[in-house]
Amino acid sequence: MSASLVASDAHDDPATLDWRCRAVLPLREPDDEEDEADNARLLAPGVSLAQSSRGEDQELTILAMSGLTVDLWRVGSICASLESRDADNAHFMPLFEKGESRPAPRPGGGAGKW
């Protein structure tokens, strides 16, 4: 998974970018009893986060992530940006409430990688 660090196409807040990612494992149609046993083990409770089916095809979600990238150089108010989102993002407000400071300028003034 990859995403740009600045959401240039976000109309509501161009200094933030919501992202989501999931990894799925498609189950093969079993060719023999061994494949069938493998699928049965993978379909056991607690092995995957979710199971979904489309017709005969099944897939397991084995990893799911979501997050928010905030461009601290461009965002007007970090707390206002987090507060305007859901409660999961507002949970991080205490990290920024003291002074809402921006990162210190980088040596050379460039905006290179961190």
Side-chain angles (χ1 to χ4, degrees):
M1 196 236 32
S2 64
S4 63
L5 290 178
V6 178
S8 58
D9 60 344
H11 301 292
D12 57 338
D13 191 352
T16 62
L17 175 65
D18 289 293
W19 55 267
R20 296 185 188 340
C21 174
R22 71 184 190 112
V24 297
L25 174 67
L27 294 180
R28 296 178 291 146
E29 185 66 33
D31 291 332
D32 55 28
E33 289 181 17
E34 188 177 330
D35 287 348
E36 203 167 312
D38 288 343
N39 283 354
R41 277 193 297 277
L42 290 171
L43 290 168
V47 172
S48 63
L49 297 175
Q51 300 174 10
S52 59
S53 299
R54 278 184 249 141
E56 301 264 331
D57 298 330
Q58 287 186 302
E59 66 181 23
L60 306 176
T61 300
I62 56 172
L63 172 75
M65 299 185 304
S66 64
L68 173 68
T69 301
V70 179
D71 182 349
L72 298 176
W73 292 98
R74 294 181 62 190
V75 71
S77 169
I78 299 165
C79 289
S81 182
L82 292 173
E83 194 173 51
S84 70
R85 298 171 180 283
D86 61 25
D88 289 340
N89 289 311
H91 172 79
F92 294 101
M93 285 176 53
L95 296 172
F96 301 101
E97 285 177 337
K98 292 185 180 180
E100 280 209 26
S101 61
R102 299 194 186 284
R106 294 183 189 94
K113 295 183 179 180
W114 287 81

